[in-house]
Amino acid sequence: CIFQPLAEAATASGFMNIITDQDGIIRRVPLIMEYGDRFYANLSLAVLLSAAKPEQMVLTIGQAGTESLSYDGIEIPLENKGCFRIPFQNREGTYRHISASDILTGTMETPDIQGRIVLIGATATGLMDMRATPTHPAMPGVEVHANIIDSILHGDFIVRPINAVAYEIIAIVFFGLLSTFLFARLKAIQNLIFLFIVMVGAVITSRCRRGGAQRS
């Protein structure tokens, strides 16, 4: 932190870098970065470790780069350069928001936040801290970090296999040959019905485990 008194008073600190994909959507974040001879934690990880206070952490590095970060029996899967795929739960507002004015005026009672991890951040659109995510076009940055912490606490991870590119190529070739065969053997309307069923099945499969997820 560039403000020395705050840096000295803080129990822990973390960086807030977020990587967007080529389409401008956030799907992953560097959870840990190496600079010089030290490792630095993302703000989300730093907050979580401050609450959990683990005695030991293990960073696993393989031939393809970083693989996982483990503490207290929790293994967090990582990708190249320590990136973590964020399993966004739902649209904006999945987590409880508390207005700063409610705290300042004493409207909210202290027991409401006792024993909980509380993130302080901006949610107003004019403060330019909105991020495009797969579930919402303008999610506050503070809620992005809430999704990261929540997914780690619940063991809800998205893991992309190392050989994922090879699997994707095989799937494209297979369905390409299958569609060619179907177009040669069946009528156009039958092909459209088949493709529609496959698309619906893919959407249902990708969303069924996240339906109705509400966290606090």
Side-chain angles (χ1 to χ4, degrees), residues 16-31:
M16 298 178 63
N17 304 47
I18 293 181
I19 300 175
T20 61
D21 289 345
Q22 294 182 351
D23 57 2
I25 296 178
I26 294 175
R27 296 182 177 88
R28 60 181 64 82
V29 62
L31 203 62

Side-chain angles (χ1 to χ4, degrees), residues 157-174:
F157 303 124
I158 297 177
V159 181
R160 179 178 171 83
I162 298 177
N163 299 323
V165 175
Y167 298 151
E168 291 169 355
I169 294 175
I170 292 173
I172 291 172
V173 172
F174 171 77

Side-chain angles (χ1 to χ4, degrees), residues 171 174-175 178-179 182 190-206:
F174 171 77
F175 282 105
L178 178 61
S179 61
L182 292 175
Q190 293 173 321
N191 281 283
L192 290 175
I193 293 174
F194 173 78
L195 292 176
F196 177 77
I197 293 174
V198 171
M199 291 174 58
V200 171
V203 172
I204 293 175
T205 301
S206 64

Side-chain angles (χ1 to χ4, degrees), residues 7 40 125 139 167:
Y40 296 88
T125 304
M139 180 178 291
Y167 298 151

Side-chain angles (χ1 to χ4, degrees), residues 61-140:
I61 302 176
Q63 294 181 349
T66 52
E67 295 181 354
S68 65
L69 179 68
S70 305
Y71 76 93
D72 291 349
I74 299 176
E75 184 174 355
I76 308 170
L78 300 177
E79 297 182 349
N80 187 30
K81 298 182 179 180
C83 285
F84 173 77
R85 284 186 176 265
I86 309 173
F88 289 98
Q89 295 300 320
N90 273 310
R91 296 173 60 83
E92 176 192 1
T94 300
Y95 306 99
R96 181 183 178 187
H97 286 207
I98 299 174
S99 171
S101 62
D102 289 344
I103 298 177
L104 295 175
T105 59
T107 304
M108 192 207 67
E109 298 294 334
T110 303
D112 290 346
I113 60 175
Q114 285 184 345
R116 296 177 180 270
I117 294 177
V118 179
L119 300 180
I120 301 175
T123 58
T125 304
L127 296 178
M128 306 299 292
D129 193 33
M130 296 298 175
R131 313 291 180 178
T133 69
T135 59
H136 197 274
M139 180 178 291

